[in-house]
């Protein structure tokens, strides 16, 4: 293995501002911003838009999908079967 080819792997704080959640881990990510952590040390901080605290899949707050079928949804939206012009039981 070649020497000095590995990126710098160091402690970094990832912060999800939407959820007010932050966690300390090790990463190769770099940042000019820093934050003082609970242990009194200062670490680089990377702001993320979504994390396990705010993602609907992990929080269990995902939208439920409507279980109505396509045909029922079409009939509800555009009228039921048997109406004029639908080939139903119209007058001949």
């Amino acid at each position: 293995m070649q020497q000095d080819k590995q990126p710098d792997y160091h402690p970094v704080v990832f912060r999800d501002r939407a959820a007010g959640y932050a966690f300390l881990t090790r990463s190769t990510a770099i940042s000019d911003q820093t934050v003082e952590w609970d242990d009194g040390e200062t670490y680089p901080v990377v702001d993320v838009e979504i994390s396990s605290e705010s993602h609907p899949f992990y929080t269990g707050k995902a939208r439920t999908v409507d279980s109505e079928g396509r045909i029922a949804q079409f009939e509800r939206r555009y009228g039921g079967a048997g109406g004029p012009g639908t080939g139903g039981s119209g007058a001949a």
Side-chain angles (χ1 to χ4, degrees):
M1 189 155 131
Q2 296 178 353
Q3 297 296 321
D4 301 325
K5 293 291 181 178
Q6 297 297 318
D8 182 29
Y9 189 65
H10 54 275
V12 176
V13 174
F14 286 92
R15 179 173 53 193
D16 182 355
R17 290 191 174 245
Y21 177 70
F23 58 94
L24 177 65
T25 187
R26 296 182 59 82
S27 175
T28 59
I30 57 174
S31 175
D32 295 331
Q33 299 177 353
T34 60
V35 67
E36 186 172 332
W37 194 245
D38 298 335
D39 61 2
E41 296 290 324
T42 302
Y43 298 105
V45 62
V46 176
D47 290 324
V48 294
E49 292 184 25
I50 197 162
S51 70
S52 61
E53 287 294 311
S54 62
H55 192 279
F57 179 78
Y58 296 107
T59 61
K61 296 178 184 174
R63 294 183 308 165
T64 55
V65 177
D66 190 8
S67 60
E68 185 177 26
R70 286 184 174 185
I71 295 172
Q73 185 178 12
F74 178 85
E75 288 175 353
R76 180 182 50 81
R77 188 175 292 165
Y78 300 108
T86 60
S89 59

